[in-house]
Amino acid sequence: MQKTEFYETVYAEVRAALEELLDAAKPEPRELIVVGCSSSEILGECIGKGSSPEVGAVAAQSVLDVLRERGLSLAAQCCEHLNRALIMEKADARRLGYEIVCVRPRPKAGGSFATAVYDQMQEPVAVEHVRAAAGLDIGQTLIGMHLRDVAVPVRLKNNRAGQACLTAARTRPKLIGGIRAEYPD
């Protein structure tokens, strides 16, 4: 498969998976979606060992296209070298009350995906913690710490991007109150 064809396939696979997740999660407008992505895993390499700025850019463009079309906000998880900080638009960080920290991701310190998101956003900033409504994990990057408290797995039919396996989750409010409580749908 030629590079251009491979990139088109990755774009389509990421898009299909994210759309499937959003259809299941039904987030409200402007809600935050977290995405972690290993370009190494997409290429069939061990996470962190084959970073590709080109693959990161393709995945970032796919994610941003879908979320912008649906009026949703993105928090792009960096790799462990930046303590899994997240890249998001400054306006979203302020609107949601997140503390902005000072760092700029790079392919080997933050990851190719987060770097590409940073480059493609209008006014990107980094934050350390978010509580996202749903999330897509491309290549087992471990996004769970950035979801709301009750995460529910979403079993994707579109569960691969390149060679990376995809894991998705939506969240729901906590059920509290015990046996006497009634819960709305």
Side-chain angles (χ1 to χ4, degrees), residues 27-108:
E28 306 242 344
R30 298 176 57 188
E31 275 200 295
L32 190 64
I33 308 301
V34 65
V35 177
C37 175
S38 168
S39 61
S40 301
E41 290 282 335
I42 290 173
L43 292 169
E45 300 291 329
C46 181
I47 194 168
K49 301 297 182 194
S51 187
S52 167
E54 297 80 14
V55 170
V58 169
Q61 188 63 60
S62 183
V63 167
L64 286 165
D65 286 350
V66 171
L67 295 181
R68 287 174 178 153
E69 289 166 13
R70 295 195 182 211
L72 297 167
S73 301
L74 172 63
Q77 180 181 267
C78 296
C79 73
E80 74 275 9
H81 295 102
L82 294 185
N83 297 328
R84 302 204 195 293
L86 303 116
I87 303 304
M88 60 191 307
E89 290 286 3
K90 185 177 189 177
D92 290 329
R94 292 239 165 100
R95 174 176 57 83
L96 295 167
Y98 295 136
E99 182 178 354
I100 296 170
V101 296
C102 190
V103 70
R104 188 208 197 288
R106 294 289 185 203
K108 296 289 185 182

Side-chain angles (χ1 to χ4, degrees), residues 119-178:
D119 291 341
Q120 292 180 41
M121 284 186 162
Q122 291 184 11
E123 199 172 2
V125 296
V127 300
E128 290 185 285
H129 307 284
V130 300
R131 304 304 287 165
L136 181 64
D137 189 327
I138 304 168
Q140 301 176 331
T141 63
L142 302 176
I143 62 163
M145 69 187 84
H146 299 302
L147 294 170
R148 293 179 186 151
D149 287 343
V150 183
V152 179
V154 175
R155 306 270 186 253
L156 299 172
K157 292 178 187 137
N158 300 291
N159 61 8
R160 296 201 80 73
Q163 298 300 308
C165 62
L166 306 181
T167 305
R170 63 178 180 82
T171 62
R172 65 161 176 77
K174 294 177 183 179
L175 302 176
I176 63 168

Side-chain angles (χ1 to χ4, degrees), residues 10-21 62 66 156 158:
V10 168
Y11 179 94
E13 289 170 338
V14 169
R15 183 179 186 94
L18 185 55
E19 287 176 337
E20 185 180 347
L21 166 62
S62 183
V66 171
L156 299 172
N158 300 291

